[in-house]
Amino acid sequence: MGSISALPNKCLSCEFLFEGECLRAEELAEDYLRLDYGSCGIEGNTEPKVIKVSKTGIEIFVPNKCIDCEFLIYNSTLRYVCSKDQEIWGDGFRELDWGDWQPKFPNVGLRKFGRDDLDLGNVAITNKVIQHILDGHKTKALKVYKDLNNISTIKEAREDIEQIEIKLKKAQNKV
């Protein structure tokens, strides 16, 4: 059974379009970005608001205007998405409309691999971890990061924090 999705016109000729997602920041995020479908047409505040806190304490944010919106749905693959105009976009759904809101921190990620290069997926990197790194409090960042990701050794956590720090510096140099 296949997937049928429409893509935003501006993405069709973009060099970063890959398998229906965006590779623009793949080097820093170590993941695909969702495509930009533009404004949903519903007015409202787009500042982030916590919609859920995971079992490990990670806060999940959506634009404030989406909290009570009838079109906000949870998709087990894509997480929170907008179902507005689904007849146009198909089963790919549109990304949430963040408007002109800009994040305080760059979008950085880190992918983990196990034995035999088994992809373990992305680790959790919260604003708190990033803020500690930027403030020069690596030990605090290490403690939070280690607990969030259930990492057993300080060595592994320290190596990850160093990689995140390198990515933050690269992101700041691009601005």
Side-chain angles (χ1 to χ4, degrees), residues 112-123:
K112 300 294 279 186
F113 294 90
R115 269 195 241 145
D116 300 323
D117 290 329
L118 175 67
D119 186 352
L120 302 174
N122 285 9
V123 296

Side-chain angles (χ1 to χ4, degrees), residues 51-159:
I51 192 168
K52 180 181 175 183
V53 178
S54 74
K55 293 175 187 171
T56 57
I58 298 170
E59 296 176 319
I60 312 297
F61 295 90
V62 299
N64 195 345
K65 72 177 187 172
C66 300
I67 290 286
D68 296 318
C69 182
E70 67 181 297
F71 299 112
L72 179 68
I73 62 170
Y74 183 81
N75 175 284
S76 61
T77 306
L78 304 170
R79 290 171 241 124
Y80 288 96
V81 292
C82 179
S83 65
K84 187 172 184 291
D85 302 325
Q86 190 171 0
E87 66 281 358
I88 296 170
W89 301 113
D91 60 4
F93 299 105
R94 68 184 301 141
E95 180 57 63
L96 301 178
D97 175 10
W98 290 95
D100 293 333
W101 174 78
Q102 293 291 317
K104 288 189 234 177
F105 305 114
N107 185 7
V108 297
L110 191 61
R111 202 158 194 88
K112 300 294 279 186
F113 294 90
R115 269 195 241 145
D116 300 323
D117 290 329
L118 175 67
D119 186 352
L120 302 174
N122 285 9
V123 296
I125 303 172
T126 61
N127 288 347
K128 191 175 197 176
V129 170
I130 292 174
Q131 188 65 62
H132 284 321
I133 292 170
L134 293 175
D135 290 345
H137 302 296
K138 286 190 193 177
T139 304
K140 288 180 182 178
L142 186 134
K143 288 177 184 176
V144 173
Y145 176 82
K146 189 174 176 289
D147 290 343
L148 275 174
N149 293 288
N150 198 24
I151 294 174
S152 58
T153 69
I154 293 173
K155 181 182 182 221
E156 181 182 356
R158 185 180 299 122
E159 289 170 355

